[in-house]
Amino acid sequence: PLIGACHAGTRVCSGGVWGPCSEVLPAASETCNGIDDNCNGMIDEGCVAGCVVVCANCTGSSDNPAVADGSVDHPFASIEPAMAAVGQIDAGTQRRICVVGGSTCRESTLYPTNGPLKMRDGLILQGAYAITAEGLVYCPGATLQPRTTIRFASSEGVVFDQTIVAGAELSSFMIEITPPAGSASAAPTGTAITIKGGKNVTLSRVFVSEGFAATSTYGVAITSGGQATIAGSSISTGQGKSSAVGLYVNGGTVNLRNNCDKIVNGRCASYCDDGGSMLGVHGYVAASTADAPAQSSAVFVTGSASASLVANMFCGGTSNIADGQTIASVAALRCEGVGCMTVSGNVIEGGTDRDAVAVALVGADPLLDSNLIEGGCGDLTTTGVWLEGSSARLQNNLILGGKCGGAAAPVFCGLHIVSSSTGDGPDVHSNDIEPLGLSTDCQSFGVLVESVPGASSATAGALRNNVISAGVCSRRFAVSEAAGASLQSLQNNDLYAPTGASATGGTVLYRHANTDATTAAQVSAISLAKANISADPAYASYPRDLHLTAASPCIDQGTSDHAPPSDFEGNVRPAGASYDIGAYELVQ
């Protein structure tokens, strides 16, 4: 997971023989050495020696320093006095606080505080402990959701400011923000966890409750050069009246990994609509769209060229987009400018709105690799990926539009490229792009290419080795280019219409302005096109299982030009005589 002690390695070929790999993998358990050996974002969890104990309901607990010393027999009753006591410990000694939930691992305990709670440099604050007849014990995995809650009577919760240099950890807590009645709606900002300049911060198994309100709310906000690793956590947006964001990164750095209940081969394999899924970053929850904010994202990253988002679940919520507002502002994942570097192995699902979108890259150029992306449910438009002025690399992704809409003639789009006259445009390689649709009065576009207003001769990038569906709407297009925007290359793609769908005016495989190509031969006659086919890809089960079967015409029909070295599941490409078209390589 590239957290804690874990890191990738190298191996050397000498005399035709590979040497050992120097990678470090997760240990089975912690070894009480001040290092996160099992790579879960927690240091020495379960190691009770030297831990300053906090227990709200224990006999002998007190906040009086003359009585409490942080031992099992004389624990502190609340967290702040324990933090003050830990501040007196020598800097060279591990500063760790173990917060007790009860006398068993099944008890729940509330720790109220006026807040905010300002973390100290080098402090490790861990929940999930109990004091039993055997003494202080750790409760690993007693429940997925932490039983120890810190409740703040303020609009700001835990704070990691610029004084955090060596690092600090917060793990195994529920975080609730509950300002006094009447003050929440008037507060300009509500933030459960703030990382404002703090370095080397770790959040692990932290659950941010959704029930806090302000004009703008953030589950976790990383700003002013803050640096954080977040793992195994569940983050909500809060109930912002104007805007609500689960994870907001602006001028900071985040390593967001493994915030997903089920991980298979390094990829998230959970779904937002699965009632048992808890981990991940979740969008705004509202009873109706009318009550939702105009701007809402599960994750919004801007000004962070090194942000890495790997093996997470991002679930868009409910929003209420304003007229004339770009749909990027309601994307489940929104990256702007230098926001985001790597987005890999995630499940990203759009929310519910007039316009719904799963991923929006606005002027951002990350690597988007091996993600499952679903557009969500928009009344007017539903879009899997929106690229605006972006030169991102998209490879091995499963990109789906949607299958619900509330208005007449809604639009479903797998990939929407809004190109500019600067930059090379996106490099879209080896993806499955399925806009889906309603099989009724609607429009579906596999790839829709337009230009930003005022741009001339806009470059829209390259499409290679992709399966691009026209969808199932009555009016459907595999690739559609507006006048003034042009792809650089359309090579070795499968442009097709799903079996059983019927279009009012036939299926358009490629449109530029008002000129249509409806057959593979007509597409091949276009100057930018080369070696494209048009045939049903013979999926294992459309649209949920897009593995190629042995009968697929996409096998060995791809180009090696800029092809990724592996597929969606990590299988080496090519597996046969040549590269397969789409996100999956058929392993025979």
Side-chain angles (χ1 to χ4, degrees), residues 99-118:
V99 182
V100 173
S103 59
T104 71
C105 289
R106 296 182 297 276
E107 293 183 45
S108 299
T109 300
L110 174 66
Y111 285 85
T113 179
N114 290 328
L117 187 65
K118 184 178 178 181

Side-chain angles (χ1 to χ4, degrees), residues 413-512:
C413 189
L415 172 62
H416 192 157
I417 301 173
V418 183
S419 59
S420 65
S421 54
T422 61
D424 296 328
D427 184 4
V428 183
H429 209 306
S430 302
N431 304 276
D432 285 291
I433 304 174
E434 297 282 342
L436 305 179
L438 296 174
S439 299
T440 57
D441 185 20
C442 60
Q443 293 187 76
S444 52
F445 297 87
V447 178
L448 177 60
V449 180
E450 298 178 314
S451 59
V452 297
S456 59
S457 302
T459 302
L463 303 178
R464 288 170 289 194
N465 286 19
N466 303 284
V467 177
I468 304 176
S469 167
V472 299
C473 285
S474 55
R475 288 161 292 168
R476 59 189 184 184
F477 309 83
V479 177
S480 179
E481 284 181 345
S486 178
L487 293 165
Q488 291 176 310
S489 175
L490 183 68
Q491 181 179 356
N492 293 82
N493 302 284
D494 180 13
L495 311 179
Y496 88 106
T499 302
S502 60
T504 301
T507 299
V508 177
L509 300 182
Y510 175 84
R511 165 176 284 186
H512 181 74

Side-chain angles (χ1 to χ4, degrees), residues 319 321 325 327 330 352-357 377-382:
S319 51
I321 190 169
Q325 183 175 309
I327 67 171
V330 296
T352 303
D353 199 349
R354 183 190 68 191
D355 301 287
V357 59
C377 188
D379 285 345
L380 294 182
T381 67
T382 300

Side-chain angles (χ1 to χ4, degrees), residues 22 56 152-153 423 454 466 470 560:
S22 61
F152 294 88
N466 303 284
S560 61

Side-chain angles (χ1 to χ4, degrees), residues 47-422:
C47 302
V48 299
C51 202
V52 176
V53 180
V54 175
C55 181
N57 302 316
C58 291
T59 301
S61 63
S62 174
D63 287 335
N64 185 344
V67 177
D69 57 11
S71 65
V72 172
D73 293 329
H74 302 286
F76 288 95
S78 54
I79 295 172
E80 293 95 324
M83 290 176 61
V86 167
Q88 306 302 315
I89 299 175
D90 293 338
T93 304
Q94 187 183 80
R95 304 176 178 188
R96 195 156 61 95
I97 296 176
C98 298
V99 182
V100 173
S103 59
T104 71
C105 289
R106 296 182 297 276
E107 293 183 45
S108 299
T109 300
L110 174 66
Y111 285 85
T113 179
N114 290 328
L117 187 65
K118 184 178 178 181
M119 292 289 285
R120 295 176 177 269
D121 194 25
L123 177 65
I124 300 172
L125 183 60
Q126 297 178 338
Y129 286 85
I131 295 180
T132 69
E134 288 74 32
L136 182 66
V137 298
Y138 179 64
C139 305
T143 60
L144 180 62
Q145 181 171 304
R147 291 186 177 275
T148 307
T149 300
I150 307 176
R151 179 178 293 168
F152 294 88
S154 64
S155 59
E156 190 172 31
V158 184
V159 177
F160 301 80
D161 64 15
Q162 69 278 3
T163 62
I164 307 296
V165 178
E169 175 195 319
L170 178 73
S171 61
S172 300
F173 288 101
M174 287 285 296
I175 303 296
E176 294 183 358
I177 305 295
T178 56
S183 65
S185 59
T189 305
T191 309
I193 300 175
T194 302
I195 303 168
K196 189 174 183 179
K199 301 295 191 293
N200 304 309
V201 172
T202 300
L203 307 179
S204 181
R205 201 167 173 253
V206 173
F207 279 50
V208 174
S209 173
E210 66 185 31
F212 60 104
T215 303
S216 298
T217 55
Y218 306 94
V220 177
I222 305 174
T223 63
S224 305
Q227 300 173 349
T229 293
I230 305 175
S233 295
S234 178
I235 301 170
S236 298
T237 64
Q239 301 286 304
K241 304 301 181 184
S242 175
S243 64
V245 178
L247 172 63
Y248 176 62
V249 184
N250 186 355
T253 300
V254 66
N255 179 22
L256 191 71
R257 287 182 179 261
N258 294 17
N259 297 279
C260 176
D261 293 281
K262 182 180 180 182
I263 297 176
V264 178
N265 295 329
R267 293 179 294 103
C268 180
S270 296
Y271 294 94
C272 295
D273 56 3
D274 182 353
S277 295
M278 298 179 69
L279 301 184
V281 189
H282 306 273
Y284 183 97
V285 177
S288 68
T289 301
D291 298 327
Q295 300 187 54
S296 178
S297 294
V299 177
F300 178 20
V301 183
T302 182
S304 178
S306 60
S308 179
L309 318 176
V310 179
N312 308 285
M313 185 175 72
F314 302 148
C315 303
T318 306
S319 51
N320 188 12
I321 190 169
D323 291 338
Q325 183 175 309
T326 174
I327 67 171
S329 60
V330 296
L333 170 61
R334 177 182 174 190
C335 301
E336 291 189 355
V338 293
C340 303
M341 179 180 70
T342 301
V343 181
S344 177
N346 305 285
V347 170
I348 309 171
E349 299 184 27
T352 303
D353 199 349
R354 183 190 68 191
D355 301 287
V357 59
V359 176
L361 308 180
V362 181
D365 307 324
L367 169 64
L368 212 68
D369 182 17
S370 301
N371 302 281
L372 171 60
I373 300 170
E374 297 187 7
C377 188
D379 285 345
L380 294 182
T381 67
T382 300
T383 305
V385 177
W386 169 281
L387 302 181
E388 182 177 340
S390 171
S391 296
R393 164 77 172 190
L394 279 65
Q395 66 182 35
N396 296 331
N397 299 286
L398 308 179
I399 303 174
L400 308 178
K403 294 194 292 184
C404 57
V411 176
F412 300 88
C413 189
L415 172 62
H416 192 157
I417 301 173
V418 183
S419 59
S420 65
S421 54
T422 61

Side-chain angles (χ1 to χ4, degrees), residues 21-44:
C21 183
S22 61
E23 69 181 351
V24 175
L25 300 176
S29 60
E30 294 290 287
T31 54
C32 306
N33 56 2
I35 299 173
D36 178 14
D37 299 293
N38 58 7
C39 306
N40 62 357
M42 293 181 268
I43 295 176
D44 291 353

